[in-house]
């Protein structure tokens, strides 16, 4: 069972299998954090759970499953003694580190009510392909030198970003392996199925809600008559973070009925997920032969290099948020990074096409760079947006409307681009542009930057996430915020889940309603018109899709963050 490590960082009692297997079969390592919530303990747990031989050749370290474990410092060290354990599946292109804020907030909220819960943020196997060594150095310059300068960190040098041709084994990492991994991890950490049924709450964010629904209906022993192994009998309840607990993407079309597709158009830009029009067998053959890419990505904006750069940006913003950024001057000028920067930081189509001015021509603090790529008033893609504040310029720099890729006058596709007015600095080679954090929007010194029609770009009611906490989540987690090598097989399996080869595994459909459930919905997020009304969701005004994970524990106005309050209350129910 999961136990806390000893004070010296060595594994605690129970961290090795009783069968006498090597100590490395299970490790638990303390995670150092600068979080102000010092009464929450975080560790990284890693278990050896080998992939089946049918997967083929793969890196040895990919035979491990990992998760981030959060618990109250005043609570029991043994998971089996916790009051409840929340186990969370990440969304698409998302890693365990994305849950850091909501996990800490929820554990702390429960402890304040005298209950000790744990939050386990799962990391999928594909994350084993990421090399976080440079980020883990804690030094921005070292990280850049590691990934781009051939420098060694802790005796290791970077082997380069993995290509689809190098990741053939990912063609076998689909729905069945993903839910099996969750089952095996729970069974290893909590061997008593009755304890799992009593204490574990299963849930997830975004696509993680669908994965939880599939898990709930899955049969794990091949015998549908025996139900102790069924997914729903591993859980006492379900929680959905801007998603629904379902087995179908169609259920996330909800009230809109637009048919645009949850993945193609709502969560990801069109073209990210291959729309083959083929059956399950043909798609799998395409993945195995390499005709189809083994992991999701685009030539620019969404690929392993750009997501890794986002983590470096988070590191810079954590270490020196108010210092003038030099990050984009130190990384190489290549097509991927240059076109990505133009896509994310162009005032209008003319600037995008000409390439002038570029983001490198502006003086921005490290926090402003992170905000430019992640805030809902600047980031162009809705599924990447958080509500962390707005650009500012004490030196008087102009801030104007950002009209690319969609004009502020015409909201072309809210599910793709969001609904908030977009803003951008407008004086290259001018004054320093800073970042006004979420809790300073609407403060007495706020100049209230406005759109061309006089409307404020944002208000305090629209801001919920602390940019410093967002930076910390990117920079400090050993299992990082993003999933750079998300298996294509996982989403194509979900898209083709009605194929008999998959459907026959979902033999417990009643599992979706077998346990109590709570659903949280970002009021300004991409699913605001997609989640069915009969889900009775708790709606969070001002929240974007990622804010349900990253929102600050104390909100503007002094109120407590409501997901953590309500989720901890749900966990307290018998």
């Amino acid at each position: 069972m999961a136990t806390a490590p000893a004070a010296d960082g060595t594994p605690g009692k129970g961290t090795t299998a009783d069968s006498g297997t090597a100590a490395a079969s299970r490790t638990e390592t303390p995670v150092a954090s600068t979080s102000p919530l010092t009464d929450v303990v975080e560790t990284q747990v890693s278990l050896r759970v080998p992939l089946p031989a049918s997967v083929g050749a793969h890196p040895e370290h990919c035979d491990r499953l990992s998760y981030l474990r959060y618990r109250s410092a005043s609570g029991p060290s043994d998971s089996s003694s916790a009051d409840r354990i929340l186990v969370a599946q990440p969304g698409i292109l998302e890693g365990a580190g994305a849950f850091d804020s909501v996990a800490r907030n929820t554990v702390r909220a429960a402890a304040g009510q005298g209950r000790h819960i744990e939050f386990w943020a799962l990391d999928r196997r594909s994350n084993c392909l990421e090399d976080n060594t440079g980020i883990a150095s804690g030094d921005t310059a070292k990280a850049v030198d590691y990934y781009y300068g051939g420098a060694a960190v802790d005796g290791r040098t970077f082997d380069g970003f993995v290509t689809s041709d190098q990741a053939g084994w990912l063609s076998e990492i689909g729905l069945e392996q993903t839910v099996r991994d969750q089952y095996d991890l729970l069974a290893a950490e909590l061997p008593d199925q009755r304890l799992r049924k009593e204490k574990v709450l299963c849930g997830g964010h975004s696509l993680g809600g669908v994965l939880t629904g599939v898990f709930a209906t899955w049969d794990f022993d091949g015998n549908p008559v025996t139900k102790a192994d069924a997914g729903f009998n591993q859980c006492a309840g379900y929680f959905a973070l801007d998603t629904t607990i379902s087995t179908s993407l169609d259920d996330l079309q909800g009230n809109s009925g637009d048919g645009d597709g949850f993945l193609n158009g709502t969560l990801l830009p069109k073209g990210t997920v291959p729309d083959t029009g083929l059956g399950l067998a043909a798609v799998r053959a395409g993945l195995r032969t390499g005709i189809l890419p083994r992991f999701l990505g685009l030539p620019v904006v969404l690929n392993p290099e750009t997501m890794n750069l986002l983590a470096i940006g988070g590191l810079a913003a954590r270490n020196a948020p108010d210092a003038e950024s030099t990050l984009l001057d130190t990384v190489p000028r290549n097509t991927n990074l240059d076109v990505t920067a133009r896509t994310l930081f162009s005032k209008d189509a003319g600037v995008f096409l000409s390439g002038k001015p570029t983001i490198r021509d502006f003086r921005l603090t490290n926090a402003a760079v992170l905000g430019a790529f992640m805030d809902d008033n600047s980031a162009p893609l809705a599924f990447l947006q958080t509500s962390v504040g707005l650009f500012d310029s004490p030196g008087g720099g102009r801030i104007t409307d950002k009209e690319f890729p969609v004009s502020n006058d015409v909201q072309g596709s809210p599910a793709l681009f969001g609904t908030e007015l977009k803003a951008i600095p407008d004086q290259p080679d001018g004054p320093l542009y800073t970042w006004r954090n979420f809790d300073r929007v609407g403060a007495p010194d706020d100049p209230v930057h406005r759109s061309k029609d006089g409307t404020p770009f944002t208000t305090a009611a629209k801001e919920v996430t602390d940019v410093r906490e967002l930076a910390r989540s990117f920079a400090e987690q050993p299992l990082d915020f993003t999933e750079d090598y998300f298996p294509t097989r996982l989403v194509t399996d979900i898209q083709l889940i009605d194929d008999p080869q998959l459907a026959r595994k979902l033999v417990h459909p009643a599992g979706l309603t077998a346990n109590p459930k709570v659903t949280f919905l970002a009021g300004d997020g991409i699913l605001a018109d997609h989640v069915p009304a009969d889900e009775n969701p708790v709606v969070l005004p001002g929240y974007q899709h990622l804010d349900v994970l990253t929102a600050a524990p104390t909100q503007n106005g002094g109120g407590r963050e409501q997901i953590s309050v309500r989720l901890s209350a749900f966990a307290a129910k018998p």
Side-chain angles (χ1 to χ4, degrees):
M1 299 179 191
T3 57
D8 63 358
T10 58
K13 181 181 178 181
T15 59
T16 58
D18 293 337
S19 60
T21 55
S25 63
R26 186 190 190 279
T27 61
E28 185 162 10
T29 308
V31 177
S33 175
T34 59
S35 170
L37 304 188
T38 56
D39 50 356
V40 177
V41 175
E42 178 188 3
T43 54
Q44 177 189 349
V45 180
S46 177
L47 308 168
R48 177 170 165 76
V49 182
L51 285 163
S54 58
V55 167
H58 57 275
E60 183 179 358
H61 60 272
C62 294
D63 278 330
R64 303 191 71 86
L65 297 176
S66 299
Y67 68 95
L68 297 177
R69 179 190 178 206
Y70 298 85
R71 63 179 182 87
S72 173
S74 61
S77 60
D78 192 321
S79 297
S80 63
S81 298
D83 291 313
R84 282 288 170 85
I85 302 167
L86 282 66
V87 178
Q89 274 279 358
I92 200 165
L93 299 174
E94 194 171 271
F99 288 99
D100 186 68
S101 291
V102 71
R104 291 180 185 276
N105 294 346
T106 304
V107 169
R108 190 188 204 197
Q113 299 299 316
R115 293 182 63 83
H116 298 296
I117 68 173
E118 296 196 6
F119 195 112
W120 296 1
L122 304 183
D123 219 34
R124 285 185 286 266
R125 280 199 195 257
S126 55
N127 283 13
C128 68
L129 292 176
E130 298 170 6
D131 181 354
N132 297 323
T133 306
I135 308 297
S137 72
D139 183 291
T140 308
K142 284 184 178 179
V144 172
D145 285 346
Y146 179 78
Y147 294 111
Y148 292 105
V153 172
D154 293 335
R156 178 173 180 172
T157 56
F158 185 51
D159 291 331
F161 296 103
V162 177
T163 65
S164 179
D165 289 344
Q166 296 170 325
W169 66 279
L170 282 187
S171 64
E172 305 300 324
I173 306 301
L175 200 54
E176 182 166 5
Q177 188 62 55
T178 299
V179 295
R180 169 63 67 178
D181 283 348
Q182 181 171 346
Y183 179 86
D184 287 347
L185 186 147
L186 286 173
E189 293 291 81
L190 301 166
D192 187 343
Q193 181 268 330
R194 293 169 297 179
L195 187 66
R196 300 197 293 272
K197 181 61 178 172
E198 175 189 350
K199 294 196 174 186
V200 172
L201 299 178
C202 302
H205 173 241
S206 192
L207 188 69
V210 177
L211 294 176
T212 299
V214 172
F215 178 83
T217 61
W218 202 271
D219 182 75
F220 287 97
D221 71 352
N223 182 356
V225 176
T226 58
K227 296 183 179 180
D229 65 289
F232 70 90
N233 272 325
Q234 318 311 310
C235 314
Y238 309 126
F239 61 97
L241 302 174
D242 211 35
T243 184
T244 62
I245 305 300
S246 171
T247 59
S248 172
L249 298 173
D250 292 339
D251 291 344
L252 285 162
Q253 298 307 315
N255 303 326
S256 69
D258 58 18
D260 197 23
F262 177 58
L263 293 172
N264 260 346
T266 302
L267 276 189
L268 291 177
K270 289 184 181 296
T272 312
V273 181
D275 184 9
T276 64
L278 302 174
L280 186 69
V283 168
R284 289 181 174 179
L287 290 169
R288 287 166 180 153
T289 59
I291 295 175
L292 295 176
R294 275 70 176 256
F295 56 84
L296 297 187
L298 293 172
V300 297
V301 182
L302 290 174
N303 54 60
E305 182 181 27
T306 56
M307 287 191 281
N308 190 70
L309 183 63
L310 187 59
I312 302 176
L315 179 61
R318 185 205 67 168
N319 291 349
D322 300 322
E324 185 169 351
S325 176
T326 60
L327 176 61
L328 295 176
D329 292 325
T330 57
V331 297
R333 294 175 178 265
N334 61 39
T335 300
N336 179 30
L337 297 184
D338 287 350
V339 177
T340 294
R342 286 165 62 179
T343 302
L344 298 179
F345 199 84
S346 287
K347 181 174 71 171
D348 52 38
V351 171
F352 175 76
L353 292 172
S354 69
K356 293 291 182 180
T358 73
I359 191 172
R360 291 184 172 95
D361 296 319
F362 290 84
R363 297 179 60 209
L364 303 166
T365 63
N366 287 317
V369 171
L370 183 62
F373 292 156
M374 296 293 294
D375 186 66
D376 57 349
N377 295 112
S378 50
L381 299 176
F383 74 98
L384 288 175
Q385 292 173 358
T386 54
S387 306
V388 293
L390 190 69
F391 293 109
D392 205 356
S393 181
R398 292 188 306 272
I399 295 171
T400 190
D401 289 76
K402 185 175 185 289
E403 308 280 11
F404 182 84
V406 177
S407 169
N408 278 338
D409 294 327
V410 181
Q411 290 295 329
S413 179
L416 183 56
F417 301 116
T419 58
E420 304 306 308
L421 294 171
K422 303 298 187 290
I424 193 169
D426 196 34
Q427 284 183 253
D429 303 315
L432 179 68
Y433 286 91
T434 61
W435 190 257
R436 179 167 288 270
N437 201 9
F438 89 110
D439 57 350
R440 298 299 298 162
V441 172
D445 66 340
D446 186 352
V448 188
H449 301 287
R450 298 177 183 271
S451 179
K452 58 191 175 186
D453 67 357
T455 304
F457 283 112
T458 189
T459 65
K462 293 282 190 178
E463 303 299 335
V464 302
T465 292
D466 190 325
V467 73
R468 296 165 300 188
E469 290 295 286
L470 181 66
R472 187 182 56 72
S473 293
F474 273 109
E476 292 183 355
Q477 298 306 314
L479 308 178
D480 64 358
F481 194 106
T482 60
E483 183 175 16
D484 300 355
Y485 301 99
F486 185 95
T488 305
R489 166 78 174 265
L490 183 51
V491 289
T492 55
D493 275 1
I494 294 173
Q495 288 175 317
L496 298 168
I497 200 166
D498 291 332
D499 185 282
Q501 190 172 342
L502 283 170
R504 63 184 175 83
K505 300 292 183 71
L506 281 66
V507 299
H508 303 294
L512 291 173
T513 55
N515 297 308
K517 173 177 62 175
V518 62
T519 299
F520 297 96
L521 180 63
D524 289 346
I526 59 179
L527 300 180
D529 294 324
H530 290 253
V531 172
D534 60 8
E535 289 286 316
N536 298 314
V538 177
V539 180
L540 290 308
Y543 280 52
Q544 296 292 342
H545 188 57
L546 287 180
D547 286 322
V548 300
L549 304 181
T550 62
T554 302
Q555 291 291 289
N556 284 331
R560 297 170 64 192
E561 198 283 313
Q562 285 300 295
I563 290 181
S564 54
V565 169
R566 293 172 183 251
L567 186 54
S568 62
F570 176 73
K573 294 179 179 179

